PDB file of all heavy atoms in Angstrom:
ATOM      1  N   LEU B  43       7.248  52.473  36.501  1.00 94.00           N
ATOM      2  CA  LEU B  43       7.945  53.533  37.230  1.00 94.00           C
ATOM      3  C   LEU B  43       7.446  54.917  36.811  1.00 94.00           C
ATOM      4  O   LEU B  43       7.184  55.786  37.652  1.00 94.00           O
ATOM      5  CB  LEU B  43       9.448  53.431  36.999  1.00 94.00           C
ATOM      6  CG  LEU B  43      10.169  52.255  37.661  1.00 94.00           C
ATOM      7  CD1 LEU B  43      11.623  52.200  37.212  1.00 94.00           C
ATOM      8  CD2 LEU B  43      10.098  52.366  39.184  1.00 94.00           C
ATOM      9  N   LEU B  44       7.312  55.123  35.502  1.00 94.00           N
ATOM     10  CA  LEU B  44       6.879  56.433  35.016  1.00 94.00           C
ATOM     11  C   LEU B  44       5.419  56.715  35.351  1.00 94.00           C
ATOM     12  O   LEU B  44       5.057  57.862  35.657  1.00 94.00           O
ATOM     13  CB  LEU B  44       7.113  56.525  33.509  1.00 94.00           C
ATOM     14  CG  LEU B  44       8.579  56.538  33.074  1.00 94.00           C
ATOM     15  CD1 LEU B  44       8.683  56.538  31.553  1.00 94.00           C
ATOM     16  CD2 LEU B  44       9.305  57.748  33.653  1.00 94.00           C
ATOM     17  N   VAL B  45       4.574  55.691  35.303  1.00 94.00           N
ATOM     18  CA  VAL B  45       3.170  55.875  35.683  1.00 94.00           C
ATOM     19  C   VAL B  45       3.076  56.212  37.173  1.00 94.00           C
ATOM     20  O   VAL B  45       2.318  57.102  37.584  1.00 94.00           O
ATOM     21  CB  VAL B  45       2.353  54.623  35.353  1.00 94.00           C
ATOM     22  CG1 VAL B  45       0.968  54.692  36.001  1.00 94.00           C
ATOM     23  CG2 VAL B  45       2.203  54.462  33.846  1.00 94.00           C
ATOM     24  N   SER B  46       3.862  55.525  37.997  1.00 94.00           N
ATOM     25  CA  SER B  46       3.872  55.810  39.431  1.00 94.00           C
ATOM     26  C   SER B  46       4.334  57.237  39.690  1.00 94.00           C
ATOM     27  O   SER B  46       3.764  57.953  40.525  1.00 94.00           O
ATOM     28  CB  SER B  46       4.793  54.821  40.164  1.00 94.00           C
ATOM     29  OG  SER B  46       4.350  53.499  39.999  1.00 94.00           O
ATOM     30  N   TYR B  47       5.373  57.656  38.961  1.00 93.00           N
ATOM     31  CA  TYR B  47       5.845  59.027  39.105  1.00 93.00           C
ATOM     32  C   TYR B  47       4.748  60.024  38.737  1.00 93.00           C
ATOM     33  O   TYR B  47       4.537  61.021  39.441  1.00 93.00           O
ATOM     34  CB  TYR B  47       7.062  59.260  38.220  1.00 93.00           C
ATOM     35  CG  TYR B  47       7.453  60.716  38.114  1.00 93.00           C
ATOM     36  CD1 TYR B  47       8.147  61.348  39.135  1.00 93.00           C
ATOM     37  CD2 TYR B  47       7.085  61.472  36.993  1.00 93.00           C
ATOM     38  CE1 TYR B  47       8.479  62.691  39.053  1.00 93.00           C
ATOM     39  CE2 TYR B  47       7.420  62.817  36.902  1.00 93.00           C
ATOM     40  CZ  TYR B  47       8.118  63.414  37.932  1.00 93.00           C
ATOM     41  OH  TYR B  47       8.438  64.743  37.851  1.00 93.00           O
ATOM     42  N   GLY B  48       4.057  59.752  37.635  1.00 90.00           N
ATOM     43  CA  GLY B  48       2.995  60.657  37.206  1.00 90.00           C
ATOM     44  C   GLY B  48       1.878  60.765  38.230  1.00 90.00           C
ATOM     45  O   GLY B  48       1.377  61.867  38.497  1.00 90.00           O
ATOM     46  N   LEU B  49       1.487  59.643  38.823  1.00 91.00           N
ATOM     47  CA  LEU B  49       0.412  59.662  39.815  1.00 91.00           C
ATOM     48  C   LEU B  49       0.805  60.465  41.046  1.00 91.00           C
ATOM     49  O   LEU B  49       0.020  61.268  41.560  1.00 91.00           O
ATOM     50  CB  LEU B  49       0.044  58.224  40.206  1.00 91.00           C
ATOM     51  CG  LEU B  49      -0.639  57.374  39.129  1.00 91.00           C
ATOM     52  CD1 LEU B  49      -0.805  55.941  39.602  1.00 91.00           C
ATOM     53  CD2 LEU B  49      -1.992  57.974  38.755  1.00 91.00           C
ATOM     54  N   VAL B  50       2.038  60.250  41.518  1.00 90.00           N
ATOM     55  CA  VAL B  50       2.496  60.991  42.693  1.00 90.00           C
ATOM     56  C   VAL B  50       2.714  62.454  42.342  1.00 90.00           C
ATOM     57  O   VAL B  50       2.377  63.353  43.122  1.00 90.00           O
ATOM     58  CB  VAL B  50       3.789  60.361  43.253  1.00 90.00           C
ATOM     59  CG1 VAL B  50       4.337  61.202  44.403  1.00 90.00           C
ATOM     60  CG2 VAL B  50       3.523  58.943  43.722  1.00 90.00           C
ATOM     61  N   ARG B  51       3.272  62.698  41.166  1.00 88.00           N
ATOM     62  CA  ARG B  51       3.562  64.074  40.736  1.00 88.00           C
ATOM     63  C   ARG B  51       2.294  64.934  40.724  1.00 88.00           C
ATOM     64  O   ARG B  51       2.288  66.068  41.222  1.00 88.00           O
ATOM     65  CB  ARG B  51       4.198  64.038  39.346  1.00 88.00           C
ATOM     66  CG  ARG B  51       4.098  65.315  38.523  1.00 88.00           C
ATOM     67  CD  ARG B  51       4.957  66.433  39.105  1.00 88.00           C
ATOM     68  NE  ARG B  51       4.839  67.648  38.318  1.00 88.00           N
ATOM     69  CZ  ARG B  51       3.887  68.554  38.451  1.00 88.00           C
ATOM     70  NH1 ARG B  51       2.929  68.380  39.363  1.00 88.00           N
ATOM     71  NH2 ARG B  51       3.872  69.643  37.704  1.00 88.00           N
ATOM     72  N   TYR B  52       1.225  64.419  40.199  1.00 85.00           N
ATOM     73  CA  TYR B  52       0.002  65.210  40.059  1.00 85.00           C
ATOM     74  C   TYR B  52      -0.883  65.165  41.300  1.00 85.00           C
ATOM     75  O   TYR B  52      -1.983  65.711  41.290  1.00 85.00           O
ATOM     76  CB  TYR B  52      -0.767  64.767  38.819  1.00 85.00           C
ATOM     77  CG  TYR B  52      -0.114  65.282  37.561  1.00 85.00           C
ATOM     78  CD1 TYR B  52       0.661  64.448  36.764  1.00 85.00           C
ATOM     79  CD2 TYR B  52      -0.227  66.617  37.208  1.00 85.00           C
ATOM     80  CE1 TYR B  52       1.301  64.924  35.619  1.00 85.00           C
ATOM     81  CE2 TYR B  52       0.404  67.115  36.069  1.00 85.00           C
ATOM     82  CZ  TYR B  52       1.161  66.261  35.294  1.00 85.00           C
ATOM     83  OH  TYR B  52       1.796  66.750  34.173  1.00 85.00           O
ATOM     84  N   SER B  53      -0.399  64.534  42.358  1.00 84.00           N
ATOM     85  CA  SER B  53      -1.096  64.627  43.641  1.00 84.00           C
ATOM     86  C   SER B  53      -0.594  65.813  44.449  1.00 84.00           C
ATOM     87  O   SER B  53      -1.147  66.118  45.515  1.00 84.00           O
ATOM     88  CB  SER B  53      -0.890  63.337  44.448  1.00 84.00           C
ATOM     89  OG  SER B  53       0.471  63.186  44.817  1.00 84.00           O
ATOM     90  N   TYR B  54       0.454  66.501  43.939  1.00 79.00           N
ATOM     91  CA  TYR B  54       0.995  67.696  44.586  1.00 79.00           C
ATOM     92  C   TYR B  54       0.770  68.910  43.685  1.00 79.00           C
ATOM     93  O   TYR B  54       0.828  68.786  42.461  1.00 79.00           O
ATOM     94  CB  TYR B  54       2.504  67.574  44.821  1.00 79.00           C
ATOM     95  CG  TYR B  54       2.905  66.589  45.878  1.00 79.00           C
ATOM     96  CD1 TYR B  54       3.106  65.243  45.563  1.00 79.00           C
ATOM     97  CD2 TYR B  54       3.117  66.994  47.196  1.00 79.00           C
ATOM     98  CE1 TYR B  54       3.494  64.335  46.535  1.00 79.00           C
ATOM     99  CE2 TYR B  54       3.508  66.099  48.167  1.00 79.00           C
ATOM    100  CZ  TYR B  54       3.692  64.759  47.834  1.00 79.00           C
ATOM    101  OH  TYR B  54       4.080  63.866  48.797  1.00 79.00           O
ATOM    102  N   PRO B  55       0.564  70.085  44.275  1.00 70.00           N
ATOM    103  CA  PRO B  55       0.535  71.298  43.457  1.00 70.00           C
ATOM    104  C   PRO B  55       1.942  71.682  43.034  1.00 70.00           C
ATOM    105  O   PRO B  55       2.911  71.402  43.735  1.00 70.00           O
ATOM    106  CB  PRO B  55      -0.059  72.345  44.409  1.00 70.00           C
ATOM    107  CG  PRO B  55       0.288  71.846  45.776  1.00 70.00           C
ATOM    108  CD  PRO B  55       0.242  70.343  45.685  1.00 70.00           C
TER     109      PRO B  55
END
Side-chain angles (χ1 to χ4, degrees):
L43 289 174
L44 292 176
V45 168
S46 299
Y47 169 78
L49 291 174
V50 175
R51 158 69 181 84
Y52 285 103
S53 66
Y54 290 87

